[in-house]
Amino acid sequence: MDVKDLIMEKEDFKQMSMHASIKDAVYAVFNINKKEELDLDDISLYIQQEIPDFENCDLDVLRKRVSSYLSTSTSKTVKGKRVVNKESLYERVKNGKGGFKKGVYKLRKVKPNVPKLKPNPIPINEEAIVENTAYVGSAGEMAVCSELLFREYNVSRMSVDDGVDIVAIKNNKTYYIQVKTVQVRNASFGVKINEKSFLKYDSNECYYIVVTRSIKNQFLVFTADDIKRMQCVGDIKISNGTISLSFTQKDGCLYIKSSKIDYVINNFERIK
């Protein structure tokens, strides 16, 4: 995988915002570096050398901050016990002896665990295609609002398209949703997301729902981390500020390149 196909170019990496956080910096290192595994020393040194925000930071202090972030990210407390956080972008690396390599991490390869959800490929419909995309986009947003209302979310469509189409509230928690609608004419189809808006809302509870219009509406529910993971393995590309999601159906399943994504189909339970 070429460096130019990764989430950010090395030149962009060096020009990272003066408000860069440890979270941003660690994520950038994993996407620029071609190594599958990285230890705390390598990550810390790379951050210090390449990101202006951290160039004057003591390396030992920086290492402790990176270690604290990754330790917190890869584990969570359940009933008073620390367990592996399987929703983290990162994971510790096994040492082959029943334990883990000290201070070594890698990007997590996610195997979705949603046994109740059966693969449901998107039907193809070459007829009744609406040519005016404004109508299509608006219809998709209303369809998502309807599904959320049935699930007892209080929803509102945004008056201005600023990267978020719908704001949904449930149990005093607010969710931001961007909707992309596509009419499925054949086994391959795709949508595009503006990279700037993706980065802008990444720190919020932002979800991306692709409405596929064919014989009936179906909904592909993505988290921001889903998109990041597929970027990391090269299945989602960024070009000229646009994140491209290219879907393919084969063998009764739905894919984005090599990533099998049946688990996102109509799975509104992912919004939590």
Side-chain angles (χ1 to χ4, degrees), residues 13 54 68 74 77 88 90 110 145 150 159 167 169 179 189-190 194 198 205 208 213-214 241 248 252:
F13 180 73
F54 300 97
S68 176
T74 55
T77 302
S88 173
Y90 314 101
V110 177
C145 286
F150 275 118
S159 300
V167 174
I169 300 174
V179 179
F189 55 94
N194 182 278
F198 179 85
E205 292 288 344
Y208 299 82
R213 175 67 176 173
S214 54
T248 303

Side-chain angles (χ1 to χ4, degrees), residues 235-260:
D235 285 344
I236 290 179
K237 304 295 184 184
I238 295 180
S239 178
N240 298 323
T242 299
I243 302 172
S244 298
L245 282 65
S246 299
F247 302 90
T248 303
Q249 300 186 84
K250 57 183 179 180
D251 302 325
C253 298
L254 184 64
Y255 292 84
I256 293 182
K257 296 295 179 64
S258 65
S259 297
K260 185 178 177 181

Side-chain angles (χ1 to χ4, degrees), residues 22 26 40 44 61-74 103 105:
I22 286 293
V26 171
L40 292 172
S44 304
V61 173
L62 184 56
R63 188 183 188 280
K64 289 179 181 178
R65 292 177 64 188
V66 172
S67 177
S68 176
Y69 166 67
L70 286 172
S71 177
T72 302
S73 173
T74 55
Y105 295 85

Side-chain angles (χ1 to χ4, degrees), residues 7 23-24 27 31 69 73 85-90 107-110 193 198 201-208 221-233 236 243 245 259 261 263-264 270:
I7 291 178
K23 176 183 176 180
D24 297 329
Y27 182 59
N31 284 283
Y69 166 67
S73 173
N85 180 10
K86 295 184 178 180
E87 296 180 354
S88 173
L89 280 173
Y90 314 101
L107 286 168
R108 175 179 291 280
K109 294 180 180 179
V110 177
I193 298 172
F198 179 85
Y201 290 99
D202 179 37
S203 61
N204 297 303
E205 292 288 344
C206 194
Y207 293 81
Y208 299 82
V221 184
F222 294 93
T223 66
D225 281 353
D226 290 328
I227 294 173
K228 288 179 182 179
R229 289 189 189 100
M230 286 185 279
Q231 288 174 344
C232 291
V233 299
I236 290 179
I243 302 172
L245 282 65
S259 297
I261 58 165
Y263 65 95
V264 306
R270 309 194 76 223

